Amino acid sequence: MIVTTSMGVNEQIRAHARQLAEKLGVPLVERAERSLNELRRMYQTEQVVVVTGKGARLEASGKQPLFFHPNTAAFRIKRLERGDTDIMLSVCQIQPGDHILDATLGLGADAIVFAHAAGTSGRVVGVESQPLIALLVEDGLRHWLSDSPALNAAMRRIEVVRQDHLTYLRQLPRKSFDVVYLDPMFAETVDASKGIEGIREYANVRSLQTEVIEEALQVARRRVVLKEGKTGKLHKQFGFTLYRKRAHQVIYSYREPIGGE
Ligand SMILES: C[S@@+](CC[C@H](N)C(=O)[O-])C[C@H]1O[C@@H](n2cnc3c(N)ncnc32)[C@H](O)[C@@H]1O
């Protein structure tokens, strides 16, 4: 893998590319008007990360590009600002100041909505096991600039952890987060999650392990919440209660820790 920039960039974008190359531990290559295919041939690599004014994207031959974008978070935050509700926040019973562990960060759209709702006194930690996704999303959360101050502020507040969620959950003290949220990859593609299709080829598709639910129930003070496709069966397998409010293509379910606070 190499990191380069788009053509004709300024010093700020070069500095961003340098920083990302360091984080990824791969060479930074001057673009010098060369095509991506020329760079691939010269550096004998399929994977090129291109940094532009809009952020970074991974271009791998034969695959969809992988890049961060706020996806559904942009319009969900707009709706919240208008006073609407968000079903994910309702099932999690989110209040300002909540501490939320998003154990399947992906492209971070759900985490951004959590960060907006939990506010400046809250905390959102997003865990992602796949280093490439974690690095590109962490980078995007720091650099993406939208015209919504609320969206920008929410993105900047998210803490990204590059680790398998089971390993991370095991290190945490009991009852250290209000909510633990799990949104594993769906087997099927549903309309509501088309925005994350770009990560499918890079994502961890392993099914949720029983130990993850057990650990999550130790860590959560209020609820462990699960999101899955409308035909998903994980909630049954793990004894979760369905949240009955109508959602389009996805279903939410939850379990509360025994013994409460
Ligand atoms: C469906 S996506 C999550 C989408 C996310 N909620 C959003 O709004 O963009 C699931 C993500 O969880 C990650 N994942 C799956 N298993 C994991 C594990 N054991 N530990 C950490 N991350 C995991 C996948 O790599 C993928 O990026």
Side-chain angles (χ1 to χ4, degrees), residues 102-110 127-130 133 163-165 181 183-185 196 199 203-204 206:
D102 180 344
T104 48
L105 178 68
L107 284 184
D110 289 336
V127 187
E128 173 56 55
S129 59
Q130 306 310 102
I133 299 177
Q163 208 168 45
D164 185 273
H165 52 213
Y181 177 73
D183 173 18
M185 293 300 288
I196 61 146
I199 67 168
N204 183 344
R206 186 172 175 184

Side-chain angles (χ1 to χ4, degrees), residues 94-101 111 113-125 153-154 156-159 176-178 221-222:
I94 299 300
Q95 304 291 326
D98 274 352
H99 289 198
I100 300 138
L101 177 65
V113 176
F114 280 131
H116 173 74
T120 48
S121 58
R123 182 177 184 216
V124 177
V125 175
R156 307 295 184 260
R157 284 201 292 271
I158 297 166
E159 300 165 46
S176 45
F177 282 85
D178 295 288
R221 282 190 283 268
R222 183 186 309 139

Side-chain angles (χ1 to χ4, degrees), residues 56-192:
R57 65 172 197 275
L58 171 62
E59 297 270 2
S61 8
K63 291 188 176 180
Q64 289 197 38
L66 173 66
F67 57 94
F68 168 79
H69 54 94
N71 197 11
T72 60
F75 70 79
R76 288 164 72 191
I77 288 180
K78 267 196 196 123
R79 280 193 202 152
L80 288 165
E81 288 183 308
R82 284 203 307 259
D84 289 354
T85 54
D86 181 279
I87 182 170
M88 177 192 81
L89 297 177
S90 305
V91 60
C92 296
Q93 301 177 326
I94 299 300
Q95 304 291 326
D98 274 352
H99 289 198
I100 300 138
L101 177 65
D102 180 344
T104 48
L105 178 68
L107 284 184
D110 289 336
I112 298 170
V113 176
F114 280 131
H116 173 74
T120 48
S121 58
R123 182 177 184 216
V124 177
V125 175
V127 187
E128 173 56 55
S129 59
Q130 306 310 102
L132 262 182
I133 299 177
L135 275 166
L136 283 179
V137 171
E138 184 176 33
D139 187 73
L141 289 167
R142 298 291 158 265
H143 290 94
W144 184 281
L145 203 54
S146 85
D147 52 13
S148 158
L151 176 60
N152 293 335
M155 289 190 287
R156 307 295 184 260
R157 284 201 292 271
I158 297 166
E159 300 165 46
V160 176
V161 172
R162 248 176 288 153
Q163 208 168 45
D164 185 273
H165 52 213
L166 182 55
T167 314
Y168 186 67
L169 282 162
R170 281 183 170 148
Q171 295 161 13
L172 290 174
R174 280 173 59 87
K175 302 204 179 297
S176 45
F177 282 85
D178 295 288
V179 171
V180 177
Y181 177 73
L182 294 156
D183 173 18
M185 293 300 288
F186 302 156
E188 79 275 35
T189 304
V190 298
D191 285 348

